[in-house]
Amino acid sequence: MSGNTLADHLAIPYPNIGMAIVEKQPETSAPSATPLTAVLHDWLTTVDHKKIGIMYILMALLFLVLAGVQALIMRCQLWWAGNDIVGPDTFNQMFTMHGTTMVFFAGMPILAGIANYVVPLQLGARDMAFPRLNALGLWATLLGGLLTYFSFIAGSPPAIGWFAYAPLTQRNFNMGPGVDYWILGLLVTGIGSVTGAINLVVTVVCLRAPGMYLRRLPLYTWMAFWANLQILAVLPPLTAALIMLLFDRTFGTHFFKPDSGGSAYLWQHLFWFFGHPEVYVLILPAFGMISEIIPVFSRKVIFGYEFVALSTVAIAFIAFGVWAHHMFTVGMPRALDMYFSAASLLIAIPTGVKIFNWLATMWGGKLWLASPMLFVVGFMSMFVLGGLTGIMLAVAPIDFQVSDTYFVVGHFHWVLIGGTLFGVFAALHFWYPKATGRMLNERLARWQFWLLLIGFFLTFGPMHISGMLGMPRRIFTYPADRGWEFWNQLSTIGALIQAPSYLIFVWNVLWSLKHGDIAGDDPWNAWTLEWATTSPPPSYNFETIPTVQSRRPLWDQKHPEDPDWKHEE
Amino acid sequence: MNHASDSLAHHEGNLDPVKAGMITFLASESAFFGTLIMVYLFNLGTAFEPEREPYTPGKMLDLPLALPGTICLLLSSVTVHYAAKMLAQKKDAAFRLLWLATITLGIVFLGGTAVEWRDMIHAGFNISTNLFGSSYFTLVGFHAAHVTVGIILLTLVLALSRRTRAIHRHEVFAEVVSWYWHFVDGVWVVVFSVVYVFGR
Amino acid sequence: MAGDGRQKVEMPAATVSPFVLALGIVLIFAGPVLSWAMTATGIVLLIVGISGWVGQLTSPEGQIEEPVVAGPKPIEGIAGRVEALRPGMPGYRARLPEKMHPYSAGLKGGLVGGVLMPIPALIFGLIAYRSIWFPVNLLAGVVLPQLVDETLSATEQVAYLSAFHPGLFIGAVLIHAVISASLGLMYGVMLPTLPGRPIIWGGIVLPLLWTGFSYGFMGVLNPILHDHVDWPSFVVAQFVFGITAAIVVARTEQIPA
Ligand SMILES: [Cu+2]
């Protein structure tokens, strides 16, 4: 089976897996037709972390496209001042579903999928610690997403924003079942996220290859580990808050009803106690991907491994103590404003440490600007800008002025697209050859990169300006005399430039599956264990569990005269 | 969660994955209950309005009624501890006896809660009565649900002991279930102090 | 069939139970909005899923033997293709000092500078207000923004600031010592890494930088000092500190880094 690509791999009829001998098929011949039901059954019942990871990624891409369409609808609606093609109700539903989808059904699943695929391979393990629980996590995440989207069929998607501020979520303001679907879908997806996080944490703790002490973990695995610890800490509080909201709507409790003693303020605390660390759940794994790709494409060892690793821990801990920077305009006591402002500014330090370590890794290196590295460079430049506007927003007096304007929208998209999405695309281009046995097309990747970069810049850059000019978030239209129209039109043009880049990526993924260059085991001449097995790896990953002596086990094998372990101890 | 974990190559971690899994799960459960308890305290501090409400913690909560169940639950922590110990020493009969005692004590606790709730509901106090009712029934209800799941797990371990013993994982399953039970007891100690002692 | 002659690897078998369980969960949760019959169906599926799952865990069917397929190509050593960067090689851009001052040198420089530095300030105090306590009290304003009662008249404020206050004196000495020592430590570490003469950096460039900073931010950091400071003597004091500290640091013996 060596040299077979994923496409061939998938087509092996399910019962054959148990046979001792598998016929080697010629490279060019079309795989014998497998009944579709057998393939579906295979994917439905699999407990292989690689297949589960791929399904997570496919699910995320599907929801990414859906949420992207919603974004385009909003951008088109905002083209002219006074436009009312999309009415206010639909507009509210669009931004609610866009935010919810991007965070819960696209962002978290795509990161869970990459972690699922890569972490056991990097650890030198044969699977996750709990393979069946892994499958449960995938299906719960997917079915939760579908349940939320069922609200479209039921006639009324939620119109509450992804943060669902009380008391807007109560029955008297949102009478349809949309909010209930939103709550229930997120609860089910939450079960998937928590089981997935438990699985990943235990895998890292228990299934490391011999010699892979925690201080030798690949940085991607390390950061995915911390992101999942954060999921464990903040998703259950969200679950608790959602349940209370469900009880308010279903059993007539009073948690978030200010008119009968409840508190809308409490909901904000509960939601943002989850909501802020969630940002790090989404960005820490991207930091890890970047930390993995930069050394390989700079042909240098990572600069300051310990600092990159420990700054992750610092970020993870500080992230628990800053949530109320989303609530400066609520009217908190001055001491709280000052504390949350200072704590939020503090996060810039460990983040800056990372940026400088990445720069120092590239400095003096032999840069190889293949597609993964291209996205990394995009990440570095865009994420820094998003981080800087974040520092502006952390200062309470500035926040008082621009809170709830398009400045904030521009800021967090700059972080989540410029950061997470560029990081994820870098990772997908980096590990696609491992997962499929074929390279992605470099030309298409470059088209995708430049369209995404330019479109992204043009979409979210002008939002900072329209925000400064006072344009509030979440309005479905605006008067003509405010000077916002030009900036909105720029944003819309940007969105239209971005849109094809996603289609190019999808096309590239499909086309390369059949026609891409054969990748071989180690196309990037990289150093972590996933490159020590075949592409795609066999179901058991490693026939013999590898032994590890340093942070770069493959470097040690490639350079027996100067192995890393001589320098690390 | 099975003996396949043995073949999935764990080397550097000395911890059994099943045990590590239970620890991580309980950590996330603490975050869940921590939130419910924080909400209870938040509401206690701001909005239970003792003078105006007919249904207040002081009037509705009956310490003597809740105490026997609490003692049963605390006792069950002791029995489950010794049950796991007996199992490790391969004293099967003693294990079964203590394990059954744990299940019984758990059921008695649930029964106590049921009696308490029946009285409250008869007095016209339920989850939608006021903010105190919402907070109280949600917090105590979720704890009771966890006790119920615990009883089911304890029963499963007992029922499956013959089958699981065949693959040498019986002790591990029994041990992590006993951890879960200890956790549920620990949560009750906090809930009981917050609701029945401190919050009245 | 490569490797150590192993033919099969034992792996967990595929099973539909997790999917059934997830389906059960989502149906249970769909109950409140669709129909409680959904929840009932969900509970049935939940039980079916868990039973199947437990069955997988407790019977040999939960495991299958995966046949071993051809493994990866062995990784070959690439001998002699790596050379560590060393000073003098093209592409080597790091400028690290091979020798550095001991930390004590920086501390000493900072403290000596700190002793000499107040002289211009004290002279200013004596000439302008006939009191050496005036600048001392001003310095204490860094930590005590409400040092002077703002309802007092300007002359009363000056009179207050010209008197001796033991608490403010101790505060001022502490602030002065801490700032001097930390700046000195930074001198000890930084000066050897900067190109050219340390006296230029330490005596002129760095004091110029922080004096400019102080000038800009004094109103925020120490409003009292901002209101009463005599900039010429302030600037002179900074240069006295910088030059002294730089000389003391530069004259100490360097040790290998
Ligand atoms: Cu935040």
Side-chain angles (χ1 to χ4, degrees), chain B residues 47-60:
Chain B
F48 282 173
E49 295 184 60
E51 319 82 35
R52 288 200 288 131
E53 292 275 8
Y55 302 104
T56 62
K59 289 175 194 146
M60 295 318 299

Side-chain angles (χ1 to χ4, degrees), chain A residues 357-371:
Chain A
N357 277 294
W358 292 328
L359 284 175
T361 309
M362 290 164 73
W363 180 267
K366 198 174 165 193
L367 294 189
W368 177 18
L369 283 175
S371 50

